[in-house]
Structures are given as C-alpha cells and as structure tokens.
Amino acid sequence: MMINYVTSSSVKQHEAALDRMFRDRKRVFVDMLKWNVPVDGPYERDQFDDEYAEYIIMCEPVSGRHLGSLRILRTDRPHILGDLFHMLCEGEVPTGPEIRELTRLCLSPDLRAVDRLKVRNRLFTTAVEYALLNGIRGYTGVAAMAWYSQLLSLGWRCTPLGFPRLVEGAQVAALIAHIEHDTINLFREAGTYNSGDIQISYDLRRAA
C-alpha cells in the first residue's frame, strides 16, 4: 500500500489519486450513505476542498486504485465544525494552529472487511504521526454516535465538545481527539497501530 500526502503544492503530481478519491467519496457518501452534500459531476467535493485542504490518500501501488483517504482542514480557516456544526459545541469551537479537523474518512467500497480495517488503521496511524511531527495537539471532528465508540476502541483519547444532537435523522456529536506523547502507545495497546516506513514520515515532515 502506498501513502500519498497531498497539499496545494503537490496537487499536480497527485491528480490521479485525487480523481479516484473524489469518485469514491461520491460512491460512498452520496450513492451509498445518501448524504446531502454537494456533488460535482462524478465527484463528491465541497467548499472545504480548497487550496488549503490537505489529504492523506492510500493507493494500491501498481494500479493506483484508491483504497482510503482522509481530509485534514485547518481550524483557523473555514471548516466543517466551525462553519456548519458549531451548535454541537457547548463552548467555543477549538481552533488555532495546533488544532486540525479530520473529516471525510473514505474507505473504498470495493475492499473486503478485513482490508477495510487495515486501511482505516493505516490512515489514522498516519494522521497521528503527522500530528506528532508537526506540533498538532488535537483533531476535531463531527461523528455519528455509532462512530464514537469505534474511535475510542482505536486508541484515540477523545473529549466530547457538547451533547449529541439529532441532525438529519442521526445522532451526531462534536469531539476532539487529543494527540499526546503516549497516543502511539495507546494505538499499539489497542492493536490498531499500523505505521508506514521512514520515507512516509520524511515526506510528511517535508510537506508541512
């Protein structure tokens, strides 16, 4: 499996990976889950997929097939929790250069169940490594309550930012997943730590 870390400065070299990611996002979020989100032709792409968005994209090395991806948004700019779901926070929405938002976890619908777990774990492990390399103290997010227990089982240390609310028929909540010195050990203890190689870590540091 190959990890692509995509920023505004590397969009051109990752055009194929982005194309496949946006197509799979439409297949998953629009066609399968019926989310009420913007559609751009064959793509699921919204106003936050701008020049400031960053992506972790996992691809099959030979075919380039999209296996899974995550979007990382700065919180000192427009982002989902701050702009669309701020009502989920009892206090102020956490923002700042040391806070990012994780969103649009997308796993290819073509993956087998066992492979979905491997890809999910690799994506979240990469997000933790990226945070530790770049001084990020936490990731905010909006999650359905069914997902909250799964996040805890992965090894994340999470704090709810408010009470769950019913949004478009689903109970959702805002949370922050803390990045601390022992986060990787928590993932190891949970059996979900799936690290990439040294080259991946170097690429993440260089792209930051």
Side-chain angles (χ1 to χ4, degrees):
M1 294 183 287
M2 179 175 63
I3 289 283
N4 297 290
Y5 182 73
V6 185
T7 67
S8 59
S9 62
S10 61
V11 166
K12 288 294 184 182
Q13 69 191 75
H14 294 297
E15 283 182 338
L18 287 164
D19 175 85
R20 296 183 179 106
M21 178 193 73
F22 286 125
R23 290 177 183 274
D24 267 2
R25 277 175 36 174
K26 180 179 181 296
R27 291 176 64 197
V28 172
F29 301 129
V30 178
D31 299 340
M32 296 173 59
L33 298 179
K34 308 300 182 184
W35 284 13
N36 181 23
V37 292
V39 173
D40 179 12
Y43 300 149
E44 185 278 301
R45 185 162 54 188
D46 65 16
Q47 67 268 38
F48 304 108
D49 291 300
D50 59 17
E51 66 270 28
Y52 296 97
E54 302 168 345
Y55 305 92
I56 298 171
I57 307 175
M58 186 179 300
C59 300
E60 203 282 324
V62 177
S63 68
R65 180 169 63 101
H66 172 262
L67 301 175
S69 52
L70 282 169
R71 181 174 67 183
I72 302 175
L73 298 178
R74 288 168 46 177
T75 60
D76 56 353
R77 292 192 50 79
H79 62 289
I80 288 178
L81 179 58
D83 285 47
L84 302 181
F85 292 100
H86 55 86
M87 77 291 293
L88 296 176
C89 295
E90 292 301 306
E92 295 293 323
V93 176
T95 61
E98 296 180 336
I99 305 294
R100 296 288 195 276
E101 181 179 66
L102 273 188
T103 177
R104 290 302 196 269
L105 168 66
C106 178
L107 304 178
S108 168
D110 300 324
L111 290 173
R112 298 177 304 166
V114 63
D115 292 327
R116 289 174 61 85
L117 292 178
K118 291 178 181 178
V119 170
R120 180 203 65 183
N121 292 347
R122 178 70 178 276
L123 288 170
F124 280 136
T125 295
T126 303
V128 171
E129 292 175 335
Y130 169 71
L132 290 170
L133 284 169
N134 293 287
I136 296 170
R137 296 186 298 105
Y139 288 115
T140 59
V142 177
M145 290 308 297
W147 252 100
Y148 192 81
S149 60
Q150 291 188 45
L151 290 173
L152 295 176
S153 69
L154 283 167
W156 294 106
R157 183 180 286 120
C158 298
T159 300
L161 297 173
F163 293 102
R165 295 197 182 191
L166 191 65
V167 177
E168 295 187 1
Q171 287 285 341
V172 299
L175 58 90
I176 184 167
H178 303 283
I179 303 296
E180 298 169 312
H181 69 279
D182 63 344
T183 300
I184 283 180
N185 287 334
L186 292 175
F187 271 58
R188 287 195 176 107
E189 291 170 5
T192 55
Y193 183 70
N194 185 354
S195 181
D197 56 25
I198 294 175
Q199 182 62 42
I200 290 172
S201 295
Y202 171 74
D203 288 343
L204 289 176
R205 185 189 296 275
R206 185 175 56 183

